[in-house]
Structures are given as structure tokens and as C-alpha cells.
Amino acid sequence: MTETIAYEVPGVHCAHCEAAIKQEVGGVEGVERVEVDLEAKKVSVSGSALDDGTLRAAISEAGYDVVS
Ligand SMILES: [Cu+2]
């Protein structure tokens, strides 16, 4: 079953940020799609059996703070 989790990531501001997050989060198990909204500063992750903690860690690993 596919689910989507959205995170607020204020540090994203350009295509480079977007690519870094997509690469890091895209490598997490179960992730099928990563969308980065540069205007809304939001990262939406879709996939199955997603682990919230692992996704947060992946965004941090890419170099960005998750505020919610
Ligand atoms: Cu950037």
C-alpha cells in the first residue's frame, strides 16, 4: 500500500538542494517517489512501508533540517 509523508524543510532553496534530497531519500528502502517543493519548502515522500525516522535521518544526511 502506497503512503505519502510530507516534511517541512526550510533549507531547500534551489535545484541543487532538490537533487541532494532526492538522491539521499530516494535511496531509502520502500521509497518510490520524492517530491521537493521549493516554494512551499516541503519534501513529500511516497512509497510503501515507509519509516518516518529513517526518512528524517536521510534528509538530515543530505544536509537539511526537518522542522516538522
Ligand atoms: Cu540549494
Side-chain angles (χ1 to χ4, degrees), residues 4-28:
T4 301
I5 309 180
Y7 299 99
E8 221 175 289
V9 186
V12 295
H13 58 82
C14 70
H16 171 261
C17 303
E18 185 174 343
I21 288 176
K22 280 186 171 174
Q23 180 171 357
E24 199 68 48
V25 178
V28 173

Side-chain angles (χ1 to χ4, degrees), residues 7-13 38 40-42 64-68:
Y7 299 99
E8 221 175 289
V9 186
V12 295
H13 58 82
L38 296 174
K41 312 288 185 197
K42 263 176 60 179
Y64 302 92
D65 288 329
V66 181
V67 296
S68 72

Side-chain angles (χ1 to χ4, degrees), residues 2-3 5 20 22 24 27 29 32 36 66:
T2 302
E3 56 187 325
I5 309 180
K22 280 186 171 174
E24 199 68 48
E29 204 180 318
E32 285 157 20
V36 178
V66 181

Side-chain angles (χ1 to χ4, degrees), residues 38-53:
L38 296 174
E39 299 268 302
K41 312 288 185 197
K42 263 176 60 179
V43 175
S44 301
V45 185
S46 304
S48 51
L50 298 176
D51 182 68
D52 181 61

